[in-house]
Amino acid sequence: QEIRREVQAMRLSSHANIITCYTSFVNDIHLWLVTTLMRKGSSLHCLQTARHVSQQGLAMEPHIFYILQQSLLGLQYIHE
């Protein structure tokens, strides 16, 4: 029931920092969501890229800052 509310909230949200959920379905025990393609990848992918960049001597902090900033903007929208 809680997951259904989350999916419904995703369907109703219209914000650049909230991924759009077009539809969802259950297959066996798995929940599948059809969402917008994330052009820059998942947060995990971005952090892995930042780690790779930091191993080459470049700062990882700007990448982490960007992910946190965008996540917080999404959370702000949800809680308004």
Side-chain angles (χ1 to χ4, degrees):
Q1 188 66 13
E2 184 176 333
I3 293 174
R4 288 182 182 170
R5 283 195 302 265
E6 290 289 330
V7 171
Q8 186 64 25
M10 288 174 67
R11 283 185 178 164
L12 297 175
S13 297
S14 178
H15 190 270
N17 298 88
I18 305 294
I19 192 165
T20 302
C21 179
Y22 296 107
T23 190
S24 63
F25 55 93
V26 176
N27 183 6
D28 197 18
I29 61 167
H30 303 286
L31 172 65
W32 294 86
L33 303 174
V34 179
T35 64
T36 308
L37 177 65
M38 297 186 302
R39 293 177 298 156
K40 295 182 180 180
S42 66
S43 295
L44 175 62
H45 178 263
C46 292
L47 286 173
Q48 289 171 336
T49 301
R51 182 181 300 136
H52 178 73
V53 167
S54 71
Q55 290 172 350
Q56 297 175 351
L58 300 172
M60 187 173 167
E61 287 78 9
H63 297 279
I64 295 171
F65 173 78
Y66 179 79
I67 291 169
L68 288 173
Q69 180 186 41
Q70 298 304 310
S71 298
L72 290 172
L73 288 171
L75 283 172
Q76 181 182 19
Y77 170 77
I78 289 171
H79 291 284
E80 287 180 345

